[in-house]
């Protein structure tokens, strides 16, 4: 359904009335910031082979190649800015206590949108004093590194020296090689993060699914938890996905256009 004014009003009303809102985002929410999606035409998995770059085996085989690819993605991400979709989500989270955001994205743009939104609140009198960073990063963050052996992790915003294997980052605690703190193919998600997302989805009356092809598990099952507990799904995506026919409303458009209209305060 291409959203017209009446539909948008209905969707806005359903979101406003809902007790508990879950938002699940994917790569499409960052597309208008200039970050490639994975499965669209020309997307990352169209141009690169995941098994050569995004598996523990690939990292063991050739950490320099893997780090070169991740460092180039890190530089892209750091040069991009949160878009109107990220900002609408950040404002929405700030405005209500009963909203949870789970993202499959590793680009940190949701957090940056929160930081910008909270900075602008500093000047305004506000009763809100809670922790605003309620983003569940299902697939980790490209802006963190973690030890491949001892699980030490840290934020890392500097560019990685990939000139030589010995120059790659090493753990300050145990000396082993550091790796991007992201979930690779064949690895499991952090169980506690996934459980928090599933629980928030179960208690939410509305789950908004934005910019994901909804083919990667277990993330793609999170909206089903809302539906199985009697809630509804609202999808925002220019294309059809396996969740489209299960959604009460499927708003076909870009998240930068649609999200400010349905989440706008
Ligand atoms: P995909 O690349 O699979 O899907 C991107 C989705 O975004 C598609 O459904 C597009 O139609 C939609 N899209 C494109 N532009 C959009 C826009 N401007 N507004 C809204 N939607 C738009 O990306 P994900 O579903 O996020 O995992 O991929 C899931 C996981 O697969 C990723 O987290 C990554 C990848 O392998 C790991 O790396 C573990």
């Amino acid at each position: 359904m291409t959203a017209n004014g009446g539909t948008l009003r209905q969707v806005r009303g359903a979101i406003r009335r809902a007790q508990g809102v879950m938002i699940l985002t994917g790569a499409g929410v960052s597309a208008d910031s200039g970050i490639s999606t994975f499965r669209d035409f020309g997307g990352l998995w169209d141009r690169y082979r995941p098994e050569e770059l995004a598996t523990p085996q690939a990292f063991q085989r050739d950490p320099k190649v893997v780090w070169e690819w991740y460092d180039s993605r890190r530089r892209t991400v750091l040069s991009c800015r949160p878009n109107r979709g990220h900002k609408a989500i950040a404002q929405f989270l700030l405005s209500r206590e009963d909203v949870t955001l789970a993202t499959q994205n590793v680009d940190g743009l949701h957090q940056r949108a929160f930081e910008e939104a909270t900075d602008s609140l500093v000047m305004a009198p506000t009763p809100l004093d809670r922790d605003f960073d309620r983003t569940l990063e299902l697939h980790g963050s490209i802006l963190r590194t973690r030890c491949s052996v001892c699980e030490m992790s840290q934020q890392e915003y500097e560019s990685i020296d990939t000139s030589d294997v010995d120059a790659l980052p090493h753990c300050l605690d145990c000396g082993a090689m550091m790796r991007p703190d992201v979930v690779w193919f064949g690895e499991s998600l952090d169980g506690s993060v996934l459980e928090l997302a599933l629980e928030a989805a179960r208690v939410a009356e509305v789950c908004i699914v934005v910019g994901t092809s909804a083919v990667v598990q277990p993330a793609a099952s999170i909206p089903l938890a809302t539906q199985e507990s009697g809630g509804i799904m609202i999808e925002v995506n220019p294309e059809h996905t396996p969740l489209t026919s299960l959604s009460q409303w499927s708003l076909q458009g870009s998240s930068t256009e649609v999200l400010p209209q349905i989440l706008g305060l």
Side-chain angles (χ1 to χ4, degrees):
M1 169 197 304
T2 306
N4 58 36
T7 305
L8 289 171
R9 255 194 310 282
Q10 282 181 323
V11 172
R12 249 197 322 266
I15 294 171
R16 198 177 313 119
R17 284 189 303 275
Q19 292 187 4
V21 177
M22 178 73 198
I23 304 177
L24 173 68
T25 65
V29 83
S30 296
D32 287 347
S33 289
I35 298 176
S36 288
T37 60
F38 293 92
R39 294 175 185 79
D40 290 307
F41 179 72
L44 288 176
W45 296 156
D46 222 15
R47 290 178 278 144
Y48 302 98
R49 292 163 63 87
E51 61 276 22
E52 286 171 9
L53 297 164
T55 63
Q57 295 77 10
F59 188 67
Q60 244 178 353
R61 203 168 41 238
D62 199 339
K64 184 165 153 3
V65 161
V66 171
W67 261 123
E68 277 167 357
W69 188 64
Y70 274 95
D71 194 47
S72 116
R73 285 181 62 201
R74 285 161 50 84
R75 276 186 269 121
T76 303
V77 158
L78 287 168
S79 69
C80 291
R81 305 214 4 96
N83 62 46
R84 284 188 292 141
H86 298 110
K87 289 178 188 176
I89 292 174
Q91 293 289 354
F92 187 61
L93 263 130
L94 287 169
S95 73
R96 285 175 62 157
E97 297 277 352
D98 62 346
V99 183
T100 303
L101 168 64
T103 186
Q104 296 164 87
N105 300 344
V106 296
D107 57 30
L109 286 179
H110 283 301
Q111 286 85 345
R112 281 168 61 192
F114 286 128
E115 280 160 24
E116 289 175 17
T118 21
D119 282 352
S120 67
L121 276 182
V122 170
M123 303 303 290
T126 168
L128 297 174
D129 60 356
R130 59 201 162 82
D131 177 10
F132 294 130
D133 190 358
R134 283 180 291 153
T135 308
L136 300 172
E137 292 177 316
L138 298 167
H139 293 166
S141 169
I142 207 172
L143 299 174
R144 269 197 318 268
T145 57
R146 113 168 119 82
C147 179
S148 48
V149 173
C150 78
E151 305 295 314
M152 198 274 272
S153 78
Q154 62 187 41
Q155 294 289 332
E156 182 58 76
Y157 296 103
E158 299 301 319
S159 100
I160 304 291
D161 183 349
T162 58
S163 56
D164 184 78
V165 175
D166 293 334
L168 295 174
H170 285 74
C171 178
L172 294 175
D173 283 351
C174 76
M177 186 95 71
M178 297 294 276
R179 53 167 279 181
D181 191 5
V182 297
V183 178
W184 279 329
F185 286 94
E187 295 184 319
S188 301
L189 276 61
D190 180 321
S192 56
V193 173
L194 178 61
E195 195 37 55
L196 281 171
L198 285 169
E199 185 50 28
R202 276 183 213 114
V203 300
E205 288 185 346
V206 165
C207 180
I208 308 171
V209 189
V210 191
T212 175
S213 56
V215 294
V216 173
Q217 297 295 352
S221 294
I222 290 171
L224 301 178
T226 302
Q227 198 174 50
E228 279 157 16
S229 345
I232 60 162
M233 274 186 243
I234 297 167
E235 183 175 63
V236 179
N237 197 313
E239 306 291 336
H240 281 243
T241 77
L243 297 180
T244 305
S245 61
L246 301 174
S247 300
Q248 175 104 5
W249 287 286
S250 162
L251 305 175
Q252 293 191 317
S254 166
S255 51
T256 46
E257 283 165 26
V258 178
L259 288 177
Q261 297 185 67
I262 61 172
L263 301 180
L265 308 174

